[in-house]
Amino acid sequence: MSGQPFMKIQNSAIQELDSVVVRFAGDSGDGMQLTGSQFSVVTALEGSDLSTFPDFPAEIRAPVGTTFGVSAFQINFGSVEISTAGDEPDVLVIMNPAALKVNIGNLRKGGLIILDEGSFNIKNLKKAGYEINPLDDDSLSQYDVKRIDITKMTVEAVKEFGLGNKDALRCKNMWTLGLLLWMFGRKRQTIIESLEQKFASKPELAEANIAALNAGHAFGETAEMSYALHRYHVNRYKEEAGTYRTVNGNQSLSWGILAGSQLAGLKLVLGSYPITPASPLLHTLSGLKEFGVVTFQAEDEIAAICAAIGASFAGGLGMTTSSGPGIALKTEALGLAISTELPLIVVDIQRAGPSTGLPTKTEQSDLYQAVWGRNGDAPLVVLSVSNSTDGFDVGIEAVRIATKYMTPVMILSDGYIANASEPWRIPDINDYEPFPVKFHKDPEGFHPFLRNTETLARVWAKPGTEGLMHRIGGIEKDYNSGHISYDAVNHQKMTDVRKAKIDNIANDFPLQKVSLGTEGGKLAVVGWGSTSGAIHQAVKRARNDGMDVSHIHLRHIWPLPRNLEELLKSYDKVIVAEMNAGQLNTLLRSQYLLDTTLLSKVTGQPFKIQEITDAIIENLGGIK
Amino acid sequence: MNKPVEITKLSPKDFETDQEVRWCPGCGDYAILKGVQMALANTGARPENTVFVSGIGCSSRFPYYISTYGFHTIHGRAPGFATGIKLTNPDLDVWLVTGDGDGLSIGGNHMLHVLRRNVDLQIMLFNNEIYGLTKGQYSPTSRPGLKTPSSPYGSVDAPLSPCVFALGAGARFVARGIDTSLKELPITLARAKEHKGASFVEIYQNCIVYNDNVFGEFTEKKTAQDTQIHLKDGERMIFGKDIKKGLRFNQDKFALEVVILGENGITEDDILIHDEKNRHMAFMLCEIEAPEYPAVCGVIYCNPSESYDHSVTAQIEKVKETKKADFNALLRSGRTWIVD
């Protein structure tokens, strides 16, 4: 929330808000993700800027009513620029005691709680670990609590459809959504249509859900006075003209890489193995066969990348997707792709580690693995995705670099932006310059490691081409013939050229810009990946408060932008903010001998704006 | 108008490279290399359309010595690479070279899956029952009791039969050959190439340095006729120098047995007729071992079904017929709104 506080108001007038953060929380079976995403769609269609944060457990169906089974969906929307899902909810929608227990700590003081009183029974309270019903003591006294028996009212509303108790209770989320739509003056039609579509084969469920939605909405109208409910209004956000949609990080990245393969004129071949939170890329691309995309769900992570490398050897664009533990398994094969200098797109949707870690929680702790995590001197290109929409352009750039320089490119995204949605001004594919791959055809003087003197890329000769038969592999190649070579001097030369090729790509990258603020000054906050929104907001507020601080956000992690050293050295102090124990921090210190300050967070949750603001104030000596 | 291209028939020599072959002198791999080059020439293979893919190990150096396209990859993972190549360009003729360690130990998982998926490849597994390139440790096909640097008191590992494994994994083509049987091996390999789908060929290969003569009891030239049987589809399983031995199905034991024609009233009618499509028979033929039985060679099982790469390609083509590839439309699918 970047505007005024969300306050208790005494009259029944509609209150204007610049932005508001709503968090839906309930049991895994309460349909909170669906509720949140439906609310987001309506919010987007009505012109707010928004950012979402689905926050759900790793268990598919955790025991009902437990704290570890709580699933939440947070949305921040407004008439102003929104770039994070919000630090603290203003409105907390609570479907059971466990959801209250898990989420109450984060609610803004004075914030609004809408809770299903009907779920606060002895059984559920016990499961959530409450000895005393929090509705009966004063533990919620600093909040504006609306106790509504949503359970009972939902059952009433759907009675006429003759559903079993279980199916009837499943409509609770739509009742709640109906009430929220009333509160924010949003239309119901889009949701009614999507319910009709979703339950096309079970019309009684569609009707019951719609009835619940309408009942929740009607409740707002009629109970306004008795429950002291208020309505709020959030204006449209003035965005650039164009056609918009919402998109999450995994979608935009899938489409970006496919777009890249189309611009390169290559068949996209994805080898993948299911893993949270990267599987949606496999799901998305396996549904796009009309573009000739080949998807191969391999027997494991290793076979997946091997198939992708095989695809590139055969003249396609090989791609593999995974998360940290899977990337670790792919490491040896990645070394082969580097050694044989084949283009390859490797997507790492990072999650909290090490090992299995917290599969559904976010982190940025694979930077070391991406930049340095292989045997031998094995450089490759590492790009990062900064928000839910950025994946499209990053995907295209990754393909362009991979094919132009004959190198694997690793794309680092993370679990937060993978699942979070934002409005996206849809680009026109025709606005992108194609970069068609030219396969080598000429047998004259051919060997597989002939290099372009400028890019240092080797030629790409694909099987099926007459006269260019060649053998390549992981054994060191002779610089002048491509044959296997155990020669000492040659190994030095090949190691040097592989490094020089990657280093040189910095000249292809744009110069690093200051995302917000000035070149030079007292303080810069450097970030990469999904922290972009939180840092941006914190720096924006600090600058509004007169602080000399700038935001530098990196897309290019390796090689680093060629002006970055000079740029960073133009500030008195540099904070590196990242969701790991200091990986980019180490990288920058080692590259530039620069005394940076680390702001680290590894809780599985994204940065709050306030956390960055605090660090800014502290590093400016506590003076604004 | 295009001129008709004259395709000259290539000889085995045309499939040799200028690379110095670096296997140990006397290694069985030399003979296999020759056998493969003969098979390629005999079947009219085109070097530019042929790819040899290998993993790591002595056998996996193979691609460097064949003048086609070649990819020497990483330990055990050749099936993944080969699958990717075939999915990208199904017109390529892809051969996979592996060994008992590469293909059944570190790469056992991939071997299982490439066979069950039935990717259209020729898979040659050189079985020498030892790790050669790492200097002589026991492998998953080594016999119990084998003393090696990593089993100085004798191996206590139970060995695996490559052909039984392949059949169990769902292979639709299983064959076996012997490195030095250059009469038969090229024919078996030609059959493998002709078969659409994963063709699994186990080749007994002698490691002269670390496991010499491990197959000696049936590869000895002088006694080979009595210790080997070469299967032919539709023909009786008769073998031996005097063409008197045969394989019979013993119903009481539910097993194969070696019988002698003319002894105990055995006639030709008692001898089994080889049926390449009979999977149960194939299992029995893969399980029998020397010295009690002859070494079974030739095509043991061949029962084609649609290959994986073909199914994948066909599915894509089918979708293309009904859905237009319109990228801008894809980006605008679902809910959109316009800001003026």
Side-chain angles (χ1 to χ4, degrees):
Chain A
M1 201 171 147
S2 58
Q4 75 283 36
F6 187 89
M7 306 220 293
K8 264 189 189 181
I9 48 171
Q10 302 306 322
N11 58 44
S12 63
I14 294 175
Q15 190 190 348
E16 277 293 335
L17 296 172
D18 286 345
S19 72
V20 61
V21 179
V22 179
R23 188 171 175 92
F24 298 89
D27 193 68
S28 294
D30 283 336
M32 290 297 97
Q33 300 306 319
L34 178 72
T35 311
S37 54
Q38 291 285 3
F39 187 77
S40 308
V41 168
V42 177
T43 304
L45 289 176
E46 299 203 12
S48 296
D49 195 14
L50 66 92
S51 180
T52 70
F53 177 38
D55 188 11
F56 47 86
E59 290 74 18
I60 302 296
R61 290 274 183 273
V64 178
T66 57
T67 50
F68 54 90
V70 171
S71 174
F73 186 102
Q74 188 164 313
I75 173 170
N76 182 7
F77 61 102
S79 58
V80 293
E81 181 197 33
I82 301 292
S83 52
T84 74
D87 280 11
E88 298 172 313
D90 302 301
V91 181
L92 189 56
V93 178
I94 292 295
M95 303 307 283
N96 72 357
L100 181 70
K101 182 145 210 184
V102 172
N103 289 286
I104 188 65
N106 210 15
L107 181 64
R108 176 183 297 273
K109 292 228 162 54
L112 176 65
I113 302 176
I114 293 170
L115 63 79
D116 175 18
E117 194 176 12
S119 70
F120 280 65
N121 54 38
I122 295 168
K123 196 172 130 200
N124 283 341
L125 287 162
K126 204 177 152 197
K127 277 192 197 162
Y130 278 118
E131 278 171 20
I132 299 162
N133 188 340
L135 304 183
D136 293 343
D137 59 20
D138 60 357
S139 60
L140 300 177
S141 59
Q142 51 188 327
Y143 309 107
D144 181 10
V145 185
K146 306 295 179 195
R147 301 162 57 153
I148 303 168
D149 195 342
I150 298 173
T151 300
K152 190 176 148 202
M153 284 194 252
T154 304
V155 171
E156 283 285 312
V158 304
K159 211 171 178 182
E160 58 176 300
F161 303 102
L163 304 181
N165 192 46
K166 212 171 150 192
D167 277 339
L169 288 177
R170 282 217 175 117
C171 301
K172 263 172 42 174
N173 61 338
M174 285 301 125
W175 193 98
T176 313
L177 181 57
L179 177 61
L180 267 285
L181 293 178
W182 170 82
M183 276 180 66
F184 291 99
R186 304 298 196 192
K187 297 187 187 85
R188 280 162 286 166
Q189 195 49 38
T190 316
I191 292 165
I192 292 171
E193 281 165 21
S194 81
L195 286 170
E196 280 168 346
Q197 213 170 19
K198 186 178 173 191
F199 296 112
S201 60
K202 289 176 181 165
E204 73 280 6
L205 284 184
E207 284 174 35
N209 275 286
I210 293 165
L213 182 81
N214 289 335
H217 194 271
F219 176 84
E221 301 262 334
T222 52
E224 194 172 343
M225 298 310 285
S226 52
Y227 281 80
L229 291 171
H230 299 290
R231 302 188 76 166
Y232 306 90
H233 181 251
V234 176
N235 243 326
R236 298 180 81 89
Y237 174 59
K238 284 177 194 64
E239 284 175 299
E240 208 182 326
T243 306
Y244 283 76
R245 64 170 300 139
T246 57
V247 74
N248 68 40
N250 278 345
Q251 264 177 326
S252 67
L253 192 52
S254 303
W255 291 339
I257 295 166
L258 176 58
S261 73
Q262 303 256 309
L263 295 167
L266 296 175
K267 183 196 259 191
L268 183 61
V269 182
L270 169 67
S272 187
Y273 185 77
I275 185 170
T276 303
S279 303
L281 287 124
L282 170 60
H283 304 167
T284 299
L285 289 170
S286 60
L288 297 175
K289 297 200 188 327
E290 65 270 30
F291 294 93
V293 179
V294 176
T295 53
F296 170 56
Q297 183 180 312
E299 59 270 25
D300 61 22
E301 297 281 0
I302 299 171
I305 187 173
C306 292
I309 297 170
S312 290
F313 175 74
L317 177 67
M319 165 186 179
T320 191
T321 51
S322 192
S323 186
I327 298 294
L329 283 166
K330 296 178 194 295
T331 300
E332 186 198 7
L334 201 45
L336 179 70
I338 292 166
S339 173
T340 52
E341 302 187 42
L342 284 166
L344 181 73
I345 305 296
V346 182
V347 176
D348 179 357
I349 312 295
Q350 302 163 96
R351 64 189 216 191
S355 188
T356 305
L358 305 170
T360 60
K361 305 299 175 193
T362 196
E363 210 162 274
Q364 299 180 297
S365 45
D366 292 348
L367 186 142
Y368 285 163
Q369 179 172 237
V371 177
W372 287 319
R374 285 162 296 282
N375 64 305
D377 289 302
L380 48 64
V381 177
V382 183
L383 305 181
S384 65
V385 182
S386 295
N387 57 51
S388 302
T389 66
D390 191 35
F392 192 74
D393 286 342
V394 172
I396 291 174
E397 185 176 14
V399 178
R400 187 181 66 80
I401 296 290
T403 52
K404 181 173 174 186
Y405 294 93
M406 296 292 280
T407 176
V409 175
M410 195 180 297
I411 300 173
L412 295 177
S413 175
D414 67 47
Y416 172 35
I417 43 181
N419 293 313
S421 297
E422 283 178 47
W424 183 38
R425 187 169 163 269
I426 309 171
D428 186 333
I429 189 72
N430 300 313
D431 293 341
Y432 289 83
E433 188 72 33
F435 42 87
V437 164
K438 288 184 194 77
F439 288 101
H440 194 76
K441 294 272 167 60
D442 185 9
E444 187 63 37
F446 168 79
H447 74 80
F449 284 82
L450 277 176
R451 285 178 197 280
N452 178 313
T453 48
E454 222 169 276
T455 62
L456 298 178
R458 77 170 182 94
V459 292
W460 194 2
K462 62 175 175 179
T465 315
E466 231 174 300
L468 301 186
M469 286 79 73
H470 62 273
R471 277 69 53 194
I472 57 171
I475 299 180
E476 188 60 280
K477 273 77 46 184
D478 182 76
Y479 184 88
N480 295 311
S481 69
H483 289 317
I484 58 176
S485 165
Y486 294 93
D487 184 78
V489 176
N490 179 71
H491 180 54
Q492 177 80 51
K493 188 168 186 184
M494 288 298 278
T495 303
D496 292 347
V497 79
R498 282 188 288 263
K499 180 178 186 302
K501 180 175 86 169
I502 301 301
D503 288 348
N504 175 49
I505 295 172
N507 293 315
D508 200 314
F509 290 159
L511 291 174
Q512 180 63 46
K513 285 191 189 128
V514 178
S515 314
L516 185 64
T518 56
E519 264 183 46
K522 279 191 185 153
L523 179 66
V525 184
V526 180
W528 65 284
S530 71
T531 56
S532 156
I535 300 174
H536 175 80
Q537 288 296 340
V539 170
K540 190 170 155 188
R541 290 178 193 180
R543 290 184 65 81
N544 285 343
D545 289 344
M547 289 182 246
D548 180 7
V549 56
S550 300
H551 176 202
I552 293 169
H553 210 75
L554 304 185
R555 169 184 284 182
H556 305 95
I557 305 296
W558 198 262
L560 289 163
R562 59 190 187 280
N563 64 326
L564 185 63
E565 179 172 10
E566 196 189 340
L567 181 62
L568 293 182
K569 286 183 174 167
S570 69
Y571 298 94
D572 297 345
K573 249 183 162 179
V574 173
I575 300 176
V576 180
E578 51 186 336
M579 297 188 293
N580 60 50
Q583 301 194 7
L584 178 68
N585 192 48
T586 306
L587 189 79
L588 295 178
R589 291 174 78 103
S590 73
Q591 290 301 300
Y592 303 143
L593 295 176
L594 190 69
D595 189 13
T596 52
T597 302
L598 172 67
L599 175 61
S600 155
K601 181 177 186 181
V602 275
T603 61
Q605 300 290 326
F607 270 113
K608 288 181 180 178
I609 298 165
Q610 192 60 47
E611 290 163 344
I612 293 162
T613 304
D614 292 346
I616 292 172
I617 293 171
E618 194 192 321
N619 279 277
L620 286 174
I623 316 150
K624 282 189 179 180
Chain B
M1 223 178 100
N2 290 332
K3 280 184 189 166
V5 181
E6 198 174 303
I7 295 182
T8 45
K9 197 175 178 316
L10 300 172
S11 75
K13 266 200 147 341
D14 291 319
F15 289 93
E16 292 174 5
T17 63
D18 59 354
Q19 294 297 290
E20 187 190 341
V21 183
R22 296 194 193 187
W23 288 311
C24 306
C27 175
D29 288 355
Y30 283 93
I32 301 173
L33 177 61
K34 208 163 188 186
V36 172
Q37 287 163 342
M38 285 162 73
L40 290 171
N42 293 346
T43 55
R46 302 303 307 170
E48 65 272 18
N49 288 332
T50 308
V51 184
F52 278 79
V53 184
S54 65
I56 293 291
C58 292
S59 59
S60 291
R61 294 296 179 93
F62 200 93
Y64 291 116
Y65 310 134
I66 291 261
S67 66
T68 63
Y69 283 89
F71 202 177
H72 178 213
T73 69
I74 52 175
H75 206 7
R77 321 299 177 193
F81 293 93
T83 303
I85 292 169
K86 202 66 192 172
L87 289 177
T88 306
N89 185 354
D91 295 337
L92 296 172
D93 189 30
V94 182
W95 297 68
L96 195 152
V97 191
T98 184
D100 40 315
D102 186 66
L104 294 173
S105 194
I106 191 167
N109 184 35
H110 308 301
M111 187 60 75
L112 161 69
H113 293 283
V114 80
L115 291 172
R116 79 167 168 87
R117 284 193 191 103
N118 200 28
V119 183
D120 186 17
L121 310 167
Q122 291 76 254
I123 300 168
M124 298 188 289
L125 186 140
F126 300 0
N127 183 9
N128 57 13
E129 300 190 0
I130 203 80
Y131 281 85
L133 205 56
T134 50
K135 300 192 194 293
Q137 300 83 354
Y138 62 96
S139 90
T141 57
S142 294
R143 293 166 203 190
L146 186 71
K147 287 185 178 166
T148 74
S150 58
S151 57
Y153 296 100
S155 165
V156 294
D157 269 33
L160 172 79
S161 158
C163 286
V164 173
F165 173 88
L167 274 177
R172 314 293 301 204
F173 182 101
V174 176
R176 199 187 272 144
I178 297 170
D179 50 7
T180 50
S181 296
L182 280 183
K183 236 189 206 164
E184 192 193 33
L185 188 60
I187 298 168
T188 304
L189 294 175
R191 283 286 311 276
K193 181 172 182 295
E194 180 193 324
H195 174 253
K196 295 281 169 233
S199 312
F200 182 86
V201 185
E202 177 189 10
I203 302 172
Y204 290 130
Q205 176 246 323
N206 190 47
C207 174
I208 197 165
V209 176
Y210 294 110
N211 211 10
D212 194 22
N213 216 25
V214 67
F215 305 116
E217 56 196 353
F218 57 82
T219 55
E220 190 59 49
K221 281 252 152 60
K222 277 184 222 158
T223 52
Q225 285 172 300
D226 282 314
T227 55
Q228 298 174 6
I229 181 167
H230 297 266
L231 301 172
K232 289 205 172 68
D233 193 33
E235 292 185 14
R236 290 194 192 275
M237 299 181 196
I238 296 174
F239 65 105
K241 200 173 163 194
D242 310 321
I243 324 177
K244 282 270 166 80
K245 291 181 179 175
L247 289 177
R248 180 174 79 160
F249 181 66
N250 183 320
Q251 285 195 350
D252 297 335
K253 292 181 183 163
F254 210 84
L256 298 180
E257 62 183 0
V258 177
V259 292
I260 310 288
L261 286 171
E263 278 181 16
N264 303 322
I266 303 277
T267 70
E268 255 196 49
D269 290 346
D270 293 311
I271 308 301
L272 283 170
I273 295 169
H274 183 42
D275 174 6
E276 286 180 354
K277 288 191 159 54
N278 187 330
R279 191 157 178 257
H280 301 289
M281 187 188 276
F283 266 111
M284 284 195 276
L285 287 167
C286 289
E287 273 172 342
I288 59 176
E289 285 175 356
E292 194 188 339
Y293 295 95
V296 177
C297 296
V299 178
I300 299 168
Y301 183 63
C302 176
N303 188 14
S305 73
E306 197 180 10
S307 74
Y308 178 72
D309 39 298
H310 186 267
S311 304
V312 168
T313 309
Q315 195 177 52
I316 289 171
E317 291 311 315
K318 208 174 162 197
V319 173
K320 277 182 172 174
E321 279 170 23
T322 55
K323 270 186 168 172
K324 206 177 140 228
D326 181 340
F327 206 90
N328 274 339
L330 167 69
L331 298 183
R332 284 155 186 79
S333 56
R335 300 261 176 209
T336 61
W337 66 96
I338 291 167
V339 174
D340 300 317

